[in-house]
Amino acid sequence: MRGSIMEKFDVVIIGAGPAGLGLAYDLKQAGQTVAVVEENRWGGTCPNRGCDPKKVLMAAVEAKLRSRHLVGKGLENEPEIDWPSLMRFKETFTEPVSSSSRQGLVDAGITVLDGHAEFVDQHTLKVGEQRVESSQFVIATGQRPGRLSKIENEALMQTSTDFLAMPELPKRIALVGGGYIAFELAAIANAAGAEVHVIHHNDRPLKQFPAKSVKQFMEQLTKQGVQFHLNIDVTAIEKSAEGMTLRDDHQFSLPVDQVFVTAGRVPNLDTLNLEQAGVETAKNGIMVDDHLKTTASNIYAMGDVVAKAQPKLTPVAGFEAQYLAQLLTHQSSAAIAYPVIPTVVYGVPQLAKAGMEVATAQKDSQRYEVKDLDLTNWFTYRRIQDPDARATVVVDRQSQQVVGVVTMSSEAEHVINDLTWLINHGGSLSELQRQIFAYPTEASDLEYLR
């Protein structure tokens, strides 16, 4: 149907990630005519080249390092990671995603459109040579790895997408940037046997977490072999027969085999021709109101492409998709209300947080109590020989409710979910003592958080 107007839809969703797919099925079930547009891999970043494959690789890292902690305490040897075998295992998860995601929509009677989307006007979208009309649009195009154009020869730098597809592991790796992705890829590559360097332009990597917690986290990774270079502003990469050399404008010089940029992600909005539809944007994404509506009355946005204070995570996008499903089918007209959202830096150990920032609580010490707890000798962590387990808990002095937490351990991903539930339900530490958990587990240990 080249150059012509296709059948008009009730809703067209641009982006086939977890949120876009979830919303499409809900709207179709409610009786609406729906189309989904995707120009890359169906299923989105998370299951194809993001959180899911990363977590698959982490399974080997966790097995290796947990075994290391128990050598001489029941185990004789620490296992080695076979990178090509691990990547083949990862591909059993990622390879089927795109085709199965697309086919699932087709089987449900949802129109699928392959190609790049650009707005012609507020009600018309161009997808390749096709034009699509719709009463409403939902933009869910996500983010992509950021680049560092100021670095000479920055094209030599690969991204997290490339890392997660490496058939062989380089001997020496540099990660330029100090956020979640840098720390997680560093943990994976280091455990797999590479020499790993993390380079950050100031002295505050993982700035979303308290400096004290980050310092403790970095100490554990340093003991494992990860090398950190802080206050280094890389300005050039030089290629040679032996590999690459990173330099700054002073004396820093680091030879490696491969360089990856891990300096954040940028929203996929710059090629959508949003100005033609009257959609306004900010540096960190598309601007929306408290109903996820853009500055165009019939266009909404959700997920990582949105400019928002909430973490840009897959479950947050899924939450927004559930909200829009209710809104666009007229089952609700309320503004979106986010719960407290946990975030985790994966590895061994893991660093996790939820709720009120520790720094915010410390500024109002009359209202909030900040408890720093060493958990290393608790049964759970002694049992697995976790070298350093810690938690910082923020408690409202008057209500005794837990309002914030930061925790570091090999079990942090589980503990943070338990405590996030407690925060969202207005619970106190004493309430934990009134629960009966499976014993002995990390949950049953929580009664000692007092």
Side-chain angles (χ1 to χ4, degrees), residues 354-358 392-395 401-406 419 423:
M356 179 176 289
E357 301 291 342
V358 171
T392 301
V393 182
V394 180
V395 177
Q401 291 178 345
V402 178
V403 295
V405 63
V406 179
L419 292 176
I423 294 169

Side-chain angles (χ1 to χ4, degrees), residues 13 54 78 84 100 110 179 209 220 277 307 330 336 360 370 417 430 440:
I13 301 166
K54 173 196 69 182
E78 175 185 331
S100 63
I110 297 168
F209 289 82
Q220 290 303 304
H330 310 292
I336 191 168
T360 301
V370 178
N417 279 331
S430 61

Side-chain angles (χ1 to χ4, degrees), residues 66-92:
R66 284 175 180 266
S67 297
R68 176 185 295 176
H69 297 160
L70 291 171
V71 169
K73 300 176 179 67
L75 294 181
E76 291 187 4
N77 299 299
E78 175 185 331
E80 295 298 321
I81 293 177
D82 179 342
W83 185 266
S85 176
L86 179 58
M87 292 302 286
R88 288 193 295 273
F89 178 54
K90 183 267 301 183
E91 287 167 4
T92 65

Side-chain angles (χ1 to χ4, degrees), residues 45 49 142-151 154-162 174-179 181-182 185 237 259-268 270 283-284 304 312:
T45 296
R49 52 185 180 273
Q143 297 185 114
R144 63 182 183 273
R147 304 294 304 188
L148 294 173
S149 57
K150 66 176 182 177
I151 295 178
E154 69 91 22
L156 295 173
M157 303 173 76
Q158 294 189 311
T159 69
S160 58
T161 300
D162 301 308
L175 301 161
V176 181
I181 296 172
L185 299 189
I237 303 172
V259 183
F260 296 89
V261 57
T262 52
R265 298 176 67 80
V266 295
N268 291 319
D270 46 323
K283 182 179 180 180
N284 62 332
D304 292 358
K312 296 191 175 187

Side-chain angles (χ1 to χ4, degrees), residues 181-422:
I181 296 172
F183 277 74
E184 291 173 340
L185 299 189
I188 293 170
N190 175 71
E195 176 187 306
V196 179
H197 301 264
V198 176
I199 305 168
H200 193 52
H201 65 94
N202 59 35
D203 60 359
R204 277 290 282 122
L206 288 178
K207 62 183 180 181
Q208 302 91 339
F209 289 82
K212 181 179 179 181
S213 298
V214 174
K215 181 176 182 293
Q216 294 164 343
F217 190 50
M218 290 174 61
E219 286 171 353
Q220 290 303 304
L221 292 175
T222 299
K223 289 177 182 177
Q224 294 172 15
V226 177
Q227 300 179 53
F228 291 94
H229 307 271
L230 303 182
N231 293 309
I232 299 295
D233 201 0
V234 175
T235 56
I237 303 172
E238 299 174 1
K239 188 173 177 59
S240 66
E242 294 75 29
M244 304 179 190
T245 300
L246 283 75
R247 302 189 187 281
D248 69 356
D249 287 336
H250 302 286
Q251 302 300 315
F252 180 78
S253 177
L254 178 67
V256 294
D257 298 302
Q258 191 54 262
V259 183
F260 296 89
V261 57
T262 52
R265 298 176 67 80
V266 295
N268 291 319
L269 51 75
D270 46 323
T271 62
L272 294 175
N273 210 18
L274 294 175
E275 63 276 7
Q276 290 297 112
V279 175
E280 294 184 10
T281 65
K283 182 179 180 180
N284 62 332
I286 295 173
M287 298 171 61
V288 297
D289 64 13
D290 58 6
H291 287 71
L292 300 183
K293 183 184 292 185
T294 71
T295 48
S297 61
N298 67 316
I299 301 177
Y300 297 80
M302 64 179 179
D304 292 358
V305 75
V306 173
K308 58 188 174 183
Q310 289 74 25
K312 296 191 175 187
L313 302 170
T314 297
V316 179
F319 181 88
E320 292 167 350
Q322 292 175 3
Y323 168 80
L324 280 179
Q326 295 284 310
L327 186 73
L328 298 181
T329 56
H330 310 292
Q331 298 178 62
S332 174
S333 59
I336 191 168
Y338 295 92
V340 167
I341 302 166
T343 59
V344 183
V345 184
Y346 290 101
V348 179
Q350 300 160 345
L351 184 63
K353 73 178 184 107
M356 179 176 289
E357 301 291 342
V358 171
T360 301
Q362 289 172 335
K363 292 176 182 178
D364 192 357
S365 58
Q366 288 189 332
R367 179 173 180 181
Y368 299 107
E369 179 183 8
V370 178
K371 301 172 179 280
D372 283 317
L373 303 169
D374 187 342
L375 319 181
T376 312
N377 289 319
W378 289 14
F379 179 83
T380 292
Y381 307 104
R382 284 188 60 201
R383 177 182 68 82
I384 61 176
Q385 285 294 287
D386 211 331
D388 193 14
R390 299 178 180 274
T392 301
V393 182
V394 180
V395 177
D396 186 300
R397 293 183 186 275
Q398 183 173 358
S399 67
Q400 288 301 298
Q401 291 178 345
V402 178
V403 295
V405 63
V406 179
T407 185
M408 180 187 76
S409 74
S410 298
E411 302 290 337
E413 64 182 320
H414 306 299
V415 171
I416 201 65
N417 279 331
D418 294 333
L419 292 176
T420 299
W421 186 92
L422 188 71

Side-chain angles (χ1 to χ4, degrees), residues 408-448:
M408 180 187 76
S409 74
S410 298
E411 302 290 337
E413 64 182 320
H414 306 299
V415 171
I416 201 65
N417 279 331
D418 294 333
L419 292 176
T420 299
W421 186 92
L422 188 71
I423 294 169
N424 278 320
H425 287 77
S428 64
L429 292 176
S430 61
E431 187 171 330
L432 287 173
Q433 298 164 14
R434 296 195 295 271
Q435 306 300 314
I436 300 177
F437 296 103
Y439 178 89
T441 63
E442 69 276 353
S444 64
D445 275 351
L446 291 177
E447 66 173 296
Y448 303 116

